[in-house]
Amino acid sequence: MVRNAGQNADGARELIMMRWGMPPPPRGVSIPVTNIRNTSSPHWRGWLKPEHRCLVPANSFAEYAPEPNPATKKKDVVWFARDEDRPPFAFAGIWTEFKGDRGTKSKPIPGPHLVYGFLTTAPNKIVEPIHDKAMPVILTTPEEYDVWLRAPWDEAKALQRPLLDAALKVVARGEAKEDQPLIRAG
């Protein structure tokens, strides 16, 4: 993840490894939360301050198709990116330090751990046929990255919106659960 480096005001940023999954709200399921949509919830409010925001670097993301493929009888994995060349972007993320165990029940890894999740929003017209509930909040410009990492919430919350339809496309679809590198002849 990319986050502001410490509490200094010089705008320095750092790239740091974190574990996926924020602490869940006190009531409900006890599994870590990876996708955060309800930013008006008191549970998330404290982590929406600039000191807990991060950028989650990516070049694509995937969702399972809603219906099984008739040929395979399994749901296809549908990959989305800005275009076929998959230029980088960032998800709008939040992070915190988690002091409990992570890992499996049989092999717990004691904390503390730096953990993160990312914001979601309503899907755009490209994602909606595949996942009609939500899509990640995608940031694509240095200006958006800067607003997300430094601005007060009243300004930064405007970024919790779907990416424009023309800025996203389906770049792969099939059984592969892992992203495949793009191979070009030439």
Side-chain angles (χ1 to χ4, degrees):
M1 301 319 103
V2 176
R3 68 179 183 177
N4 290 325
Q7 298 298 321
N8 60 29
D10 67 0
R13 296 179 180 159
E14 62 183 347
L15 181 63
I16 187 168
M17 295 290 291
M18 293 187 192
R19 291 182 173 275
W20 202 18
M22 292 289 286
R27 293 188 199 117
V29 296
S30 62
I31 59 173
V33 177
T34 55
N35 301 336
I36 298 130
R37 184 161 181 195
N38 184 7
T39 54
S40 63
S41 164
H43 180 71
W44 303 117
R45 204 170 295 141
W47 292 317
L48 294 171
K49 297 174 184 167
E51 58 267 24
H52 284 281
R53 293 191 211 140
C54 63
L55 300 171
V56 182
N59 68 358
S60 56
F61 68 96
E63 296 288 355
Y64 281 101
E67 303 295 328
N69 180 322
T72 64
K73 310 290 188 242
K74 296 179 180 180
K75 292 183 178 184
D76 284 343
V77 179
V78 181
W79 287 91
F80 300 91
R82 292 174 60 201
D83 64 41
E84 287 83 4
D85 292 330
R86 300 185 189 211
F89 58 82
F91 297 138
I94 60 174
W95 71 275
T96 193
E97 184 176 303
F98 177 71
K99 294 185 176 13
D101 289 346
R102 283 295 172 95
T104 63
K105 286 184 180 182
S106 63
K107 294 184 181 177
I109 302 166
H113 303 282
L114 296 180
V115 297
Y116 75 97
F118 58 81
L119 272 57
T120 62
T121 189
N124 67 13
K125 297 294 182 203
I126 307 305
V127 175
E128 187 177 37
I130 305 303
H131 194 284
D132 64 355
K133 290 187 173 53
M135 68 178 287
V137 172
I138 298 173
L139 309 176
T140 62
T141 67
E143 294 79 17
E144 289 175 336
Y145 302 158
D146 187 57
V147 167
W148 181 249
L149 290 175
R150 66 146 189 86
W153 179 242
D154 284 348
E155 181 181 348
K157 72 181 175 184
L159 295 170
Q160 190 179 15
R161 75 318 180 222
L163 190 64
L164 295 175
D165 297 344
L168 194 67
K169 61 188 348 179
V170 173
V171 295
R173 182 179 184 131
E175 290 185 65
K177 291 183 177 137
E178 301 250 346
D179 198 5
Q180 303 298 311
L182 183 64
I183 300 173
R184 295 204 186 266

